[in-house]
Amino acid sequence: MSSPHVSAHRAHGGSPPIPPVRPIPPVPPVRPVRPVLLLLLLCLLPGLALTCAPAAPARAAQLATGVPAGATGAVKKPEAHAITADHSRHPALQQPFATPQEVTKACLSCHNAAAQQVHKTIHWTWLDPADPERKMGKGGITFNNFCIAIPSNEPRCTSCHAGFGWKNAQFDFSSQENVDCMVCHDHTGTYKKFPTMAGLPVSEPTEFEGKTFTPPDYNAIAASVGRPTRDNCGTCHFYGGGGDAVKHGDLDSTMFKPNRELDVHMDVKGANFTCQRCHTTEAHVIAGRTYKQPAFTERKSVLDDDRVHRIACESCHTATPHKAGHKANDHTDKLACQTCHIPAFAREMATKMWWDWSTAGKKKDGKPFAEKGPFGKPSYDSKKGDFRWEKDVTPEYHWSNGRMEFLLLTDKVADTSKPVEINRIDGDPADPKSRIMPFKAHRGRQPFDAGNRTFVAPHLFGKDDDAYWKTYDWMKAVEAGQKSLGLPFSGKLEFVDTVYYYPITHQVAPKEKSVACGECHKPAGSRLAAVTGVWMPGRDRNAGVDAAGWIAVAGSVLAVGVHGFLRLAARGRNNRKED
């Protein structure tokens, strides 16, 4: 659209006057915004907005105290990435709770598929999901050389079950409200099951072995729930076999807050891994080894498939974890990573290596007694016999493809003249899935039915006269334990030496503390002295190969000598010709 001045001139037939051109002042150069300043500004803007926004009263109180509204006890504020809901604000969790089952019922009002998922896991059934006969597992008829077997001893053993009330064979495994959500998800650190109440906490203050257990504050615990931490997992797994560091040589209470020297992955000042970083979880099924099933069947890394379970070292580190050209990369087809990177287990706390049940039952002044030995650990207990503990233990090494075969209480054993392997490591040097792997070998001596040639499950815990820990009568205890399983007992009891293997996969040392090459590649005292099926330079010798080698060396020296002599002789002739 034209201006009025231009239109008026055109109406009279003239041309519009041309205004004088003003000089354009120079534009100062624009200084580019530095990327660092721009990034800083973008980071500060959200914080400024949050600072200016008024907080709701409940939220303000939580920010000030770290305690979610509605909680009745001190609750550690959950990490921001751990949960997406403030459970203290759910009305279902603010009601008064009289029993732990009522807490589970409240949880299921939202997480309505959780209990059904748990029911399908080995943490609930204590049976190997890979065993269609449902015999393999603590809930079946397997046994060990620690506390031997679960049946007839449930109230004591199931204090580490993820449920409530498994006190005998009549336990209802179909009950959803008997699933214990709190044992895995409590973030207050105050939830405790009583050691002899079949997985239940106490309803009133109760003492056990000098320690007082108090009723949990269910509201505070329910308000705190989040993803499981090492504290949740370790409450049971660090104390397997009846005490701290008893069963696993690489799992004990020092792993709650390990430093880098003990475990580079769980180092609290470093990566600070939770258990689930490697034991990845789907629908409450936690990745890991079971009785008949290895922890993994394929050695894939997340570079090959980002959905792979991160249970194997190769899952993150790949099959060539060292620098290009490093000789160690040539070992990964025969050696498990743990063989070099876990030089010893029980590095900070001694672990039990021998348990002799045959010496149990001794008394002093007519009363049971216990004695402590090295490392402050028990060396004798009237209830359980003699123990031996060791610290900073060099593992045993065996070929392993991840599978293990286990004896059952129904399996007959003909030869007991040498230690019986309760579980056998499956592996072979010709098997491409096998690697040389470190193990803890726990040895012991335990009751055996010499007539039926089977191992037995004694009834140990209880207030009845058949319980060994009450009357110290092996015959009554074995007969009652076998009867609870519907298994026979010939009445002929003896004690047999056994060995039970546990793979060593935790307590990964810093790389500078890994096993040196010379610890294996040497003729005497090699770590892998007992490993067969592989030729190891420095460890192995062959008379023919050695002879051929020395002949080659002698031939080389002779050839060099002859060559040198001929050169000197030729130089002498040349010098005479010149003269």
Side-chain angles (χ1 to χ4, degrees):
M1 182 176 179
S2 303
S3 72
H5 298 286
V6 173
S7 300
H9 279 281
R10 285 179 178 168
H12 290 84
S15 300
I18 300 174
V21 177
R22 295 183 180 179
I24 301 174
V27 178
V30 179
R31 300 179 70 179
V33 178
R34 295 186 180 182
V36 175
L37 295 176
L38 181 59
L39 181 61
L40 180 62
L41 180 62
L42 290 174
C43 291
L44 287 175
L45 282 175
L48 291 172
L50 287 174
T51 304
C52 297
R59 178 59 177 158
Q62 182 178 344
L63 290 172
T65 64
V67 180
T72 57
V75 181
K76 180 181 177 182
K77 183 180 176 183
E79 297 180 18
H81 70 276
I83 57 175
T84 58
D86 181 355
H87 287 78
S88 68
R89 300 177 64 181
H90 292 325
L93 301 180
Q94 295 175 2
Q95 61 182 299
F97 297 114
T99 66
Q101 289 92 336
E102 291 178 2
V103 179
T104 297
K105 185 176 180 181
C107 296
L108 295 175
S109 65
C110 288
H111 304 278
N112 50 32
Q116 294 172 336
Q117 293 174 356
V118 172
H119 284 177
K120 299 176 183 178
T121 71
I122 193 172
H123 277 85
W124 177 255
T125 64
W126 284 6
L127 293 171
D128 189 348
D131 178 23
E133 296 182 3
R134 298 179 66 80
K135 295 179 179 179
M136 199 71 65
K138 290 184 291 186
I141 52 175
T142 56
F143 62 99
N144 56 44
N145 56 7
F146 296 92
C147 290
I148 305 180
I150 303 294
S152 80
N153 303 303
E154 288 91 348
R156 183 69 179 93
C157 302
T158 57
S159 59
C160 265
H161 183 238
F164 306 118
W166 184 1
K167 60 183 180 181
N168 52 38
Q170 283 70 51
F171 177 67
D172 183 6
F173 284 94
S174 67
S175 168
Q176 295 191 39
E177 292 178 14
N178 274 339
V179 172
D180 188 350
C181 306
M182 293 176 287
V183 71
C184 293
H185 296 282
D186 165 45
H187 276 210
T188 66
T190 63
Y191 182 70
K192 299 286 187 283
K193 291 169 173 277
F194 194 73
T196 63
M197 288 178 56
L200 286 162
V202 296
S203 57
E204 59 184 22
T206 308
E207 282 196 15
F208 180 80
E209 295 183 350
K211 181 180 179 181
T212 300
F213 287 75
T214 57
D217 185 337
Y218 292 126
N219 290 103
I221 294 167
S224 78
V225 295
R227 294 177 182 175
T229 66
R230 282 200 304 273
D231 290 345
N232 298 110
C233 303
T235 297
C236 287
H237 290 282
F238 296 170
Y239 296 89
D244 195 357
V246 170
K247 184 185 292 187
H248 304 277
D250 57 349
L251 290 176
D252 55 52
S253 61
T254 64
M255 296 293 283
F256 281 125
K257 295 181 179 180
N259 56 25
R260 181 175 180 270
E261 292 296 308
L262 182 59
D263 194 290
V264 293
H265 297 113
M266 293 188 174
D267 173 21
V268 292
K269 294 183 179 179
N272 199 23
F273 277 17
T274 61
C275 302
Q276 303 93 283
R277 283 293 295 272
C278 298
H279 295 273
T280 49
T281 304
E282 293 180 8
H284 287 90
V285 177
I286 301 171
R289 177 185 62 86
T290 62
Y291 291 84
K292 295 177 71 70
Q293 185 170 283
F296 54 90
T297 55
E298 294 183 288
R299 296 180 180 273
K300 283 186 177 182
S301 79
V302 292
L303 300 178
D304 303 317
D305 183 355
D306 63 354
R307 297 169 299 175
V308 69
H309 289 302
R310 296 188 296 274
I311 195 67
C313 300
E314 294 95 327
S315 302
C316 295
H317 297 286
T318 76
T320 53
H322 305 277
K323 293 181 180 179
H326 198 292
K327 185 62 179 175
N329 283 332
D330 297 336
H331 289 61
T332 58
D333 62 332
K334 298 295 183 184
L335 288 180
C337 302
Q338 296 92 327
T339 299
C340 293
H341 291 278
I342 308 179
F345 59 86
R347 295 205 298 274
E348 289 194 6
M349 180 178 290
T351 186
K352 190 175 287 187
M353 299 294 290
W354 167 258
W355 187 331
D356 185 357
W357 281 97
S358 70
T359 62
K362 297 177 183 178
K363 297 180 180 180
K364 283 184 178 180
D365 300 324
K367 296 180 180 180
F369 69 98
E371 294 177 340
K372 284 192 175 183
F375 313 111
K377 297 287 190 177
S379 59
Y380 181 80
D381 188 323
S382 295
K383 290 183 175 181
K384 302 177 180 180
D386 283 295
F387 312 119
R388 186 178 69 247
W389 301 75
E390 295 179 21
K391 187 178 179 182
D392 208 27
V393 185
T394 299
E396 292 189 8
Y397 298 95
H398 301 271
W399 287 101
S400 172
N401 60 18
R403 298 182 186 277
M404 303 183 85
E405 298 293 332
F406 290 77
L407 283 178
L408 300 176
L409 289 168
T410 52
D411 292 332
K412 294 187 179 296
V413 180
D415 184 11
T416 57
S417 61
K418 57 184 179 180
V420 177
E421 292 184 329
I422 295 177
N423 60 345
R424 184 180 60 81
I425 303 164
D426 192 7
D428 187 272
D431 178 7
K433 292 186 177 181
S434 292
R435 302 289 189 276
I436 299 170
M437 180 84 183
F439 288 85
K440 170 187 172 178
H442 180 270
R443 291 174 167 81
R445 186 172 292 132
Q446 63 195 95
F448 180 80
D449 185 340
N452 290 318
R453 308 303 300 172
T454 61
F455 283 93
V456 293
H459 174 42
L460 301 172
F461 174 81
K463 296 180 180 180
D464 56 289
D465 289 339
D466 291 332
Y468 182 76
W469 290 345
K470 182 180 180 182
T471 61
Y472 296 94
D473 187 327
W474 275 118
M475 298 299 288
K476 283 185 176 182
V478 171
E479 186 174 1
Q482 293 292 94
K483 184 178 180 180
S484 73
L485 285 165
L487 297 177
F489 175 49
S490 69
K492 298 179 181 180
L493 185 68
E494 64 181 34
F495 287 83
V496 170
D497 287 354
T498 58
V499 59
Y500 195 101
Y501 298 104
Y502 273 100
I504 298 298
T505 57
H506 305 90
Q507 298 189 359
V508 179
K511 60 182 180 181
E512 61 270 16
K513 297 291 182 68
S514 59
V515 175
C517 303
E519 293 188 47
C520 298
H521 295 276
K522 59 181 180 181
S526 169
R527 278 177 174 259
L528 304 183
V531 176
T532 60
V534 62
W535 174 269
M536 288 184 59
R539 183 198 71 169
D540 300 322
R541 298 186 63 182
N542 180 285
V545 173
D546 286 350
W550 282 116
I551 291 172
V553 170
S556 299
V557 172
L558 179 62
V560 170
V562 171
H563 176 74
F565 174 78
L566 293 176
R567 290 289 300 271
L568 290 173
R571 180 180 296 177
R573 288 197 301 270
N574 292 336
N575 289 339
R576 287 195 294 272
K577 287 180 180 179
E578 291 177 358
D579 292 341

